Amino acid sequence: MIVQSYNFSLKYDIVMSASGKLIGDTTSLIGYTSIGSILIFQNNTSNFLNVKREFKCLDVMSQCLVMASENTLTIHDVENNFDQCFIEIPDGINTLAIGQFHNGKCNQDIVLIGGNCTLQGFNVQGEEVYWNVASDEVVSLCVFGFDNENYIAVGTADNCVRLLKGEETVFSFNTQSLPTSFAGLIYFDQTYLLTGMENGSIKLHRQQLELWHNNEEQEKIFKLISNDENHFIVGRRNGQIELRTLISGQLIQKLNCDELLSGFLYSDLRGVGVNQIVAVSKQGNVKGFTIVDKDLDNLNLSQSRILTELTQKKQELLQQLQLDKIPTGLDLRCGFQKNIANQCLNLVFILQEPGYYITQAIIFHETYYKEGYIINNPQPSDKLFAPLKQLVDNQKVILNCKVFVSQNPHGNYFLILETCPTFAKFANFQYVDQDLKIQSFVEAKINERVPRYVKWIDQCFNINEEIKKKFESTNEFVFNTINIINQQKLQIHFDSKEGKVIVRCDSIATCGDIIQDLCDFIQIQDLMTVGQFPVEMQEFKKVLETVQQHKSSKLQISGDVAEAMNLVKSYIVKAEDSRMIGDIKTMQKMYANVMVQNRAIQTELYKKKQNNDILMNNLKEVNAMISKASQLRVGNAKNAITNMCRNAVKKNNLLTLIEVIQQGREI
């Protein structure tokens, strides 16, 4: 049970808050106030740290205060009152997380920055110790683990979640809403990751396996806290606090603070040796809660589970009474076929038993068909066709389908048959018996037998038995496909004699998906590839040129602003001199010049902001291209490509960057 322990007010509106040890061994509560100062509450005493900047993130690391603005990171030693470091972050800062990172020798505290498609890690001295790319803007981060096992959970604006171990991706998945908070723990060498989303739902993964998903749409999740291996705590934006079980996500208790949260912490603020839930509201009210009586929680949970099981059993018996005349062993089959008119694939349900009709089907999926995709059969028959327009490319999707079957096409009683067909990862690419002319390609040295290649194709594409037999009888074959949605061409050349695979496609992202999936199937741990992508590289060169132009413009605008500010200073001095000697006419002229220069500075600052926005968008495209280039390789080669691209960007060497992306080497 959650019991309130204390309640007090900081007497200031709080924008965001954090906690940690800044001075001595006592835990401090830190709040960024609405008036722009940092409030440090310790031992029932409030002190202020005056700052002149606006901050987006706040935390504590190694007894130092970590403050992040839109493009800068400051690590401040509060006890000695000096800045440990001040770092400019060109890719911007969206969120940060504090944790430990193993550098090959020992663990060290780092602050991990999530920006514009990038991840950067700094130690307390401000040295960069970690760098990686993300698929989109990073919106949430979490660092957890113990000893030398450190994990990083990353949530991006494209609703993608990745769990990293160092620079390697352990697993990734997509969510139906923006991932806003994580909580992770390692229990009996198993990695558990809780993910909270903007729509209020929660899901739990153990390694790559999704254990459960709570689809209840509620208020946006502010923060998740995992306090042990049995429970976790949910803090929602509107002040609602929930205690749930880790094993199923079931709600045990719910409290409401009736105020919007600016902080949700798990800290020993009172110094009693036990961490407590600390809820800080926007109005500056602080409430502490303690978790007690776990045995009583388990008893309530058991009673709730029994009631749920009995209700479910009752529904099953009522349904069985209605359907006792319909046999349960009906043979229902599923398949996929082209739908040229809608430019998608149809999911086809076929009933093998005569005398029965399919009247309706409902398709569920947590991302694409969350509310259920209902397909009514225009004329009840033994077949039903469901167009799958929402499914995107290059993702394996397992659908949960409920098919309504009846003996009477106009009857009121139905037997519900359940099936879970798998939409293959590259199902939208349909085989064509023609030679495709494609300029872009990536080539990999892979020694594998043709039957293994054919097995992979059968698993990831839609092909029939005739095509499979045709390919299996050769040592070399070319697999030509066209995407039914966007008409994108894809050709894969398998040559087991030469020991190579050539993927031809004008999309680097699609080539990367093919390489990653094929290597995962064949279990290749390390692979270097080379390629040429004239179509995308031509567009990428334009992006790089734009980046250079706007970097130059940024310097020029900064120079113009500095020059105008110097003129303002000189005009003010001259105006004051004229005032002192009574030369009112000259004084008025000088102050008029000050007004002119002031307007000029405002104009230049507006231009600087526009220039910076364009620069950030283009840098995002550069980081996205680096991410796509790394997907063309596997293992150590993948990490090497990322580091070489990073170095080329730092040195502003555009030719080297393009060479690394295509050939995997520096000029």
Side-chain angles (χ1 to χ4, degrees), residues 362-376:
I362 305 177
I363 302 176
F364 294 94
H365 188 267
E366 64 178 18
T367 301
Y368 302 108
Y369 306 116
K370 182 182 174 185
E371 302 297 332
Y373 172 29
I374 302 174
I375 312 99
N376 292 308

Side-chain angles (χ1 to χ4, degrees), residues 346-385:
N346 280 341
L347 174 57
V348 185
F349 300 100
I350 304 175
L351 196 60
Q352 299 293 316
E353 300 289 338
Y356 294 94
Y357 303 88
I358 301 177
T359 61
Q360 188 185 70
I362 305 177
I363 302 176
F364 294 94
H365 188 267
E366 64 178 18
T367 301
Y368 302 108
Y369 306 116
K370 182 182 174 185
E371 302 297 332
Y373 172 29
I374 302 174
I375 312 99
N376 292 308
N377 212 345
Q379 184 64 41
S381 66
D382 60 350
K383 294 181 182 179
L384 177 61
F385 301 89

Side-chain angles (χ1 to χ4, degrees), residues 221-241:
I221 289 180
F222 186 79
K223 190 174 182 181
L224 296 175
I225 297 173
S226 175
N227 67 313
D228 58 30
E229 65 275 8
N230 297 317
H231 304 86
F232 69 96
I233 306 138
V234 182
R236 300 190 184 273
R237 180 70 65 181
N238 62 354
Q240 184 174 298
I241 301 173

Side-chain angles (χ1 to χ4, degrees), residues 167-187:
E167 295 177 347
E168 292 291 332
T169 300
V170 179
F171 66 88
S172 63
F173 59 89
N174 289 326
T175 61
Q176 73 272 25
S177 183
L178 200 68
T180 58
S181 179
F182 299 109
L185 74 152
I186 300 175
Y187 183 61

Side-chain angles (χ1 to χ4, degrees), residues 28 50 161 189 195 200 328 339 358 367 389 393 432 542 546 571:
S28 301
N50 291 320
V161 174
D189 295 328
T195 304
T328 58
N339 186 329
I358 301 177
T367 301
K389 296 181 182 180
D393 291 337
V432 292
K542 295 178 183 178
T546 303
Y571 288 146

Side-chain angles (χ1 to χ4, degrees), residues 13 29 60 67 99 117 148 317 408 479 490 559 569 588 602:
D13 290 343
L29 176 64
V60 176
M67 300 171 285
C117 293
N148 298 336
L317 290 172
N408 184 349
F479 184 61
L490 170 66
K569 292 177 183 177
Q588 291 175 336
Q602 289 178 339

Side-chain angles (χ1 to χ4, degrees), residues 51-66:
V51 291
K52 300 262 174 121
R53 297 185 299 276
E54 292 185 2
F55 295 112
K56 294 179 67 176
C57 309
L58 195 70
D59 216 321
V60 176
M61 176 181 70
S62 302
Q63 292 202 315
C64 290
L65 184 60
V66 180

Side-chain angles (χ1 to χ4, degrees), residues 12 25 83 122 184 312 353 388 464 511 527 534 538 574 590 612 615 627 664:
Y12 291 90
D25 292 329
D83 288 343
F122 300 92
Q312 184 177 356
E353 300 289 338
L388 302 176
N464 55 40
C511 290
L527 179 71
Q538 191 64 31
K574 290 178 181 179
M590 291 300 106
N612 186 68
L615 181 61
S627 178

